[in-house]
Amino acid sequence: MRLRNPKNKDEILKNSKILLDSSKPLCLKEIFQNDNEINLEIGMGKGDFILQMAQKYPNKNFVGVEKFDGVICKAIKKLEEYNLLNIRLIRSDAVDLEKIINKEINTIYLNFSDPWLKKRYHKRRLTHINQLKTYDKLFKNKKHIIFKTDNIELFNDSILYLEEYGYKIIKISYDLHNENLENFETEYEKKFSNLGFKINYLEAIKK
């Protein structure tokens, strides 16, 4: 759900210590000032997922991408309270990421992306082949995608997209919360799970 823009939106965005200037190409290695792996969550929402990941794995770097100002402002306010050095944020649409990031990403996380259920909008899905082509330009070496959704139609279609594009599914679950897999819940995941929805999960790689 898109949040309304706060009245002090411009101030929050301008003064943020973790929001990167995405108007030009970035060198994330220089920004983090280390050689640790860099992982990207596209459509991060309010930031619950990358916050948990960054806390659990201080020797890994995490970048959250969100295109809506109201949402990213909420994430900035939350994440900056923790003063974590291994988190940065980018305000951008997924289709523009290839202009910002160049071959630095180890893993892409896609959590509860918009399912775009009408067929004419399927190309907007973050797992669609059109987007997978964009991600090729972001990955450092081997391609590695981890995807979660409550929407079974999107999930099954995403399996087809990934396999058609040459990815190999190495882990899959149609009921993640009843599996013995490490999992960090997003805010949407908690909501959907509490409503009785099963969470679908997959991990895919491509050389």
Side-chain angles (χ1 to χ4, degrees):
M1 181 178 69
R2 191 184 312 183
L3 296 178
R4 291 182 179 179
N5 291 336
K7 294 181 180 180
N8 60 337
K9 177 198 75 172
D10 293 337
E11 181 182 351
I12 293 172
L13 297 175
K14 180 180 178 181
N15 296 327
S16 173
K17 298 177 182 178
I18 60 175
L19 181 64
L20 302 178
D21 179 5
S22 57
S23 65
K24 56 186 178 182
L26 298 171
C27 180
L28 296 174
K29 178 181 176 180
E30 290 182 359
I31 291 168
F32 284 112
Q33 297 184 347
N34 59 52
D35 293 319
N36 297 339
E37 69 175 64
I38 303 171
N39 304 299
L40 186 72
E41 183 187 11
I42 302 177
M44 67 170 188
K46 300 174 187 176
D48 284 8
F49 178 80
I50 59 168
L51 173 59
Q52 295 173 78
M53 293 289 286
Q55 289 175 318
K56 178 68 180 293
Y57 298 105
N59 293 324
K60 297 181 180 181
N61 299 315
F62 297 90
V63 178
V65 176
E66 179 57 55
K67 66 178 179 179
F68 297 120
D69 287 350
V71 181
I72 203 166
C73 284
K74 191 80 173 179
I76 288 170
K77 292 174 69 175
K78 176 190 295 183
L79 296 173
E80 288 191 338
E81 292 180 3
Y82 292 86
N83 198 32
L84 295 171
L85 299 178
N86 60 334
I87 284 183
R88 293 292 186 274
L89 306 182
I90 294 175
R91 181 176 48 151
S92 175
D93 193 296
V95 298
D96 296 321
L97 286 173
E98 62 182 309
K99 304 172 186 175
I100 303 168
I101 300 171
N102 182 43
K103 297 190 180 302
E104 290 195 88
I105 302 302
N106 292 84
T107 299
I108 289 178
Y109 294 94
L110 303 173
N111 294 319
F112 298 88
S113 311
D114 192 326
W116 294 108
L117 294 178
K118 292 184 179 180
K119 189 171 183 179
R120 66 179 181 271
Y121 295 137
H122 281 189
K123 290 183 179 180
R124 299 184 184 182
R125 290 172 165 179
L126 293 184
T127 52
H128 192 273
I129 290 176
N130 285 7
Q131 295 294 344
L132 298 180
K133 291 177 181 178
T134 295
Y135 304 154
D136 282 350
K137 302 170 185 178
L138 311 183
F139 283 115
K140 183 177 181 180
N141 293 306
K142 183 173 69 175
K143 288 80 175 172
H144 184 209
I145 292 176
I146 295 178
F147 172 57
K148 291 194 291 185
T149 181
D150 65 303
N151 189 286
I152 190 62
E153 179 183 334
L154 173 62
F155 190 68
N156 287 333
D157 286 349
S158 296
I159 292 172
L160 296 178
Y161 301 148
L162 288 160
E163 291 183 336
E164 182 179 345
Y165 196 61
Y167 276 84
K168 179 181 179 182
I169 309 297
I170 59 173
K171 290 182 183 178
I172 190 168
S173 174
Y174 287 88
D175 190 3
L176 174 60
H177 290 185
N178 283 318
E179 299 273 6
N180 187 25
L181 294 171
E182 182 180 61
N183 183 46
F184 298 93
E185 289 186 302
T186 73
E187 58 266 24
Y188 288 117
E189 184 172 352
K190 293 174 185 177
K191 174 183 176 181
F192 294 141
S193 181
N194 288 337
L195 290 172
F197 290 88
K198 292 184 178 180
I199 306 304
N200 307 292
Y201 168 96
L202 67 79
E203 183 175 355
I205 59 172
K206 179 184 177 186
K207 294 183 179 179

